[in-house]
Amino acid sequence: MFDYIIIGAGSAGCVLANRLSADPDVRVLLIEAGPRDSHPFIHMPAGLAKLVTNKRVNWDYHTAPEAALENRALWWPRGKVLGGSSSINAMCYTRGVPGDYDEWASLGADGWGWSSVLPYFRRSERNARGASALHGDEGPLYVSDLRYSNPLSRAFVEAGRQAGYRLNTDFNGASQDGFGLYQVTQKNGARCSSAVAYLDPVRERRNLTIVTGAQANRITFERGRANGVVYIAGGKAFHQSASREVLLCGGAINSPQLLMLSGIGPAMALRRLGIDVIADAPDVGGNLQDHLDICTLRHTTQHITYDKLNDVKVAFDYYLRGHSGVGSSNIAEAGAFVRSHLATDARPDIQLHFVPAMLDDHGRHRLQGEGYTVHACFLRPRSRGRISLVSARAGDKPRIEANYLSDAEGFDLKMMVECAKLSRELMAQPAFDAYRGAPIFPARDDLDDAGLEAFVRAKAETIYHPVGTCRMGNDTMSVVDPQLRVRGVDGLRVVDASVMPTLIGGNTNAPTMMIAERAADLILGG
């Protein structure tokens, strides 16, 4: 028997495994559906482009047809490997702004305001620039400046300045808004996933057991208390018991799915699938939020992009030269946070990622020639979706209904048009004069608002930030309470991005690790 069973060795699960097993008298089991993080392209930052189609390390989800996006089924890649999505993402280290977390607290997530979460960001972080009031330099997660950046990325930053925006060397500093290069979760030029940061230093602890290739089927209960998990590994079924708690860290898709498979969810829907109801929890799987992203692409007149890289040469140079050169790039090197004229409060409401390559359909569709891409997303969408079961079998992917652009006021669509306009404005700045070729997407530079709306509906995609499907709060409808305990049962918590009441203004990986850092204290504190 184990004291704690952690389901999912992703961004949050690895953090919990480290912190809970620090006590040698506590026995911890960590199970992960995917393999170990041994693929070399995981650890070479630029290798992320080669992981796109690798289904061995990717859950390879798709949404249901999205009504507002020409009934397209959007691809949702999620990490299925030690480190989870932190092993396949673009490594951009952003936290959002204090107002994001104060909003959580105002919505009933007591104890999750900015002053409460900042110490956990600092605890996790080892920033190459050193410690400050906002940054840590002793944590396990290495945060570094890029070792290499493309001239086009620097042109993008200059284009922001020419367009009248401020420069910003630290998106996690006193002010988020402005243009600059991202800091990245890298250690000595290599990816620093949650597995590298939190698992690698403790893998040999005798009280920590890590099982990969283990698909969780359901959580088991005895008299209303979670007491273990049933999983499949190597074609065999196992039941492992937990004497203290079961900790679900599957993420915004897998966590609500497993709760429902285990009998916690909308009672009528579960009974229709023949699942015994443990707790009627209508909001499990609801409140789904994601950042929708629109990519604007242009050809370039100079051969300096990443479109024609020789992968073998890049990898050879990277490993031969001590994790430097193009191989150390996170590809999405530069970015920005902007407050639009439609902003409803003081927070930036648009985020940009710049890629010195043509990125169509997440890089799965290769275009002819060379070019560059501006990603733009609205940070605080009002549309809400849902995760639901299609069967009582764990191996069947759940139904993902993101419901993009479905808000009654149509505000999300207005903001996506603003995102496209801003991208077009930046690409027209003098900084790109030496590189600017013909437009690709959209194919014309003179589209009006109606034309840009059609462009968004035809081409917008996820920027990989689903959250909210096991919302925390102090109301009875919330899935977990502010201590992340699942309502209606004992001995079970959810610890991952699914507990976020609302999206934060930025990439969600660092906030997910913060959630796990704070959860460890909540768990150990009783």
Side-chain angles (χ1 to χ4, degrees):
M1 182 180 288
F2 293 89
D3 294 289
Y4 298 103
I5 296 178
I6 303 167
I7 304 172
S11 299
C14 292
V15 176
L16 288 184
N18 178 300
R19 298 307 190 192
L20 298 181
S21 66
D23 181 347
D25 294 327
V26 171
R27 295 154 298 173
V28 177
L29 171 64
L30 175 65
I31 65 171
E32 165 57 39
R36 288 186 173 265
D37 55 336
S38 55
H39 197 296
F41 281 143
I42 289 176
H43 301 285
M44 182 180 77
L48 68 92
K50 303 300 293 182
L51 296 173
V52 169
T53 56
N54 188 331
K55 294 183 181 180
R56 179 171 160 76
V57 298
N58 193 330
W59 284 98
D60 192 40
Y61 288 120
H62 288 80
T63 70
E66 288 290 326
L69 299 176
E70 297 187 349
N71 286 316
R72 291 182 293 128
L74 273 59
W75 186 55
W76 275 24
R78 309 305 300 160
K80 185 182 180 182
V81 60
L82 288 183
S85 293
S86 74
S87 288
I88 66 170
N89 69 1
M91 294 155 278
C92 299
Y93 182 80
T94 69
R95 301 171 175 174
V97 296
D100 296 332
Y101 302 95
D102 291 338
E103 181 179 44
W104 287 7
S106 73
L107 294 173
D110 301 330
W112 292 88
W114 177 246
S115 62
S116 297
V117 304
L118 175 58
Y120 293 98
F121 277 118
R122 295 186 72 249
R123 175 195 285 185
S124 86
E125 183 185 16
R126 186 181 295 253
N127 198 299
R129 300 179 186 176
S132 69
L134 295 174
H135 291 289
D137 66 351
E138 296 181 352
L141 181 66
Y142 281 70
V143 176
S144 308
D145 296 311
L146 284 162
R147 290 189 169 192
Y148 181 91
S149 61
N150 190 282
L152 282 165
S153 296
R154 296 190 289 276
F156 172 78
V157 175
E158 174 61 13
R161 187 193 68 78
Q162 291 171 346
Y165 299 98
R166 67 186 292 266
L167 301 183
N168 192 345
T169 59
D170 184 4
F171 295 133
N172 304 294
S175 178
Q176 185 191 51
D177 65 293
F179 282 66
L181 299 178
Y182 283 107
Q183 279 202 300
V184 289
T185 48
Q186 291 184 11
K187 177 182 179 181
N188 299 325
R191 178 189 294 274
C192 188
S193 67
S194 64
V196 170
Y198 286 91
L199 274 193
D200 282 359
V202 303
R203 284 181 197 252
E204 303 307 315
R205 284 179 180 168
R206 298 183 64 180
N207 63 325
L208 174 61
T209 301
I210 303 170
V211 180
T212 54
Q215 171 76 55
N217 275 21
R218 61 186 172 90
I219 298 162
T220 58
F221 297 87
E222 183 176 0
R223 292 188 293 274
R225 183 176 185 84
N227 68 348
V229 60
V230 174
Y231 65 89
I232 305 295
K236 298 181 179 179
F238 299 86
H239 178 256
Q240 290 289 357
S241 298
S243 63
R244 297 191 185 182
E245 294 191 41
V246 175
L247 306 167
L248 179 51
C249 304
I253 302 170
N254 296 72
S255 283
Q257 179 193 23
L258 191 60
L259 285 181
M260 289 185 282
L261 289 170
S262 306
I264 301 173
M268 291 182 61
L270 298 187
R271 291 191 180 105
R272 280 197 297 267
L273 295 174
I275 298 171
D276 292 334
V277 177
I278 301 296
D280 183 11
D283 278 11
V284 170
N287 193 48
L288 175 61
Q289 301 159 59
D290 183 36
H291 286 143
L292 187 64
D293 184 73
I294 187 65
C295 286
T296 302
L297 282 70
R298 289 198 82 99
H299 283 293
T300 180
T301 57
Q302 298 194 29
H303 301 296
I304 58 173
T305 74
Y306 296 153
D307 289 305
K308 303 295 184 181
L309 290 179
N310 182 311
D311 298 325
V312 174
K313 183 179 185 302
V314 168
F316 182 80
D317 289 347
Y318 172 76
Y319 285 108
L320 183 67
R321 298 179 181 178
H323 296 175
S324 62
V326 176
S328 66
S329 169
N330 73 325
I331 309 299
E333 299 163 347
F337 290 88
V338 171
R339 185 176 182 274
S340 77
H341 71 97
L342 295 175
T344 57
D345 58 37
R347 296 174 291 180
D349 56 351
I350 294 176
Q351 182 181 8
L352 302 165
H353 295 80
F354 179 82
V355 175
M358 297 180 294
L359 201 67
D360 185 34
D361 188 22
H362 311 274
R364 298 186 300 172
H365 180 212
R366 301 303 294 268
L367 302 172
Q368 293 296 314
E370 295 186 62
Y372 47 91
T373 304
V374 176
H375 289 256
C377 71
F378 172 38
L379 289 172
R380 292 178 183 84
R382 300 178 181 182
S383 303
R384 297 292 183 267
R386 173 170 286 278
I387 304 292
S388 55
L389 296 181
V390 298
S391 79
R393 295 182 294 272
D396 292 341
K397 294 178 180 179
R399 181 176 176 85
I400 302 170
E401 297 172 286
N403 288 335
Y404 292 116
L405 309 182
S406 64
D407 61 306
E409 305 87 358
F411 189 73
D412 288 0
L413 179 57
K414 290 180 182 178
M415 283 302 306
M416 292 306 298
V417 169
E418 289 301 311
C419 288
K421 287 180 178 178
L422 175 59
S423 300
R424 187 169 59 182
E425 175 191 4
L426 293 167
M427 286 183 161
Q429 296 303 314
F432 283 111
D433 285 353
Y435 311 107
R436 190 182 302 107
I440 305 171
F441 299 127
R444 290 167 42 197
D445 289 329
D446 61 347
L447 293 181
D448 59 12
D449 283 9
L452 291 174
E453 285 186 11
F455 169 53
V456 167
R457 293 186 189 279
K459 296 298 293 183
E461 297 281 354
T462 178
I463 195 71
Y464 324 118
H465 299 157
V467 308
T469 49
C470 297
R471 176 182 65 88
M472 68 168 152
N474 56 18
D475 61 289
T476 57
M477 292 297 291
S478 59
V479 178
V480 300
D481 67 15
Q483 286 73 47
L484 308 184
R485 299 172 297 199
V486 176
R487 295 188 184 278
V489 297
D490 295 322
L492 176 62
R493 300 190 205 226
V494 178
V495 183
D496 56 37
S498 72
V499 306
M500 296 182 185
T502 55
L503 267 164
I504 60 97
N507 310 76
T508 52
N509 188 241
T512 300
M513 293 192 201
M514 175 279 293
I515 288 170
E517 285 278 15
R518 187 162 191 272
D521 274 4
L522 293 173
I523 294 163
L524 295 172

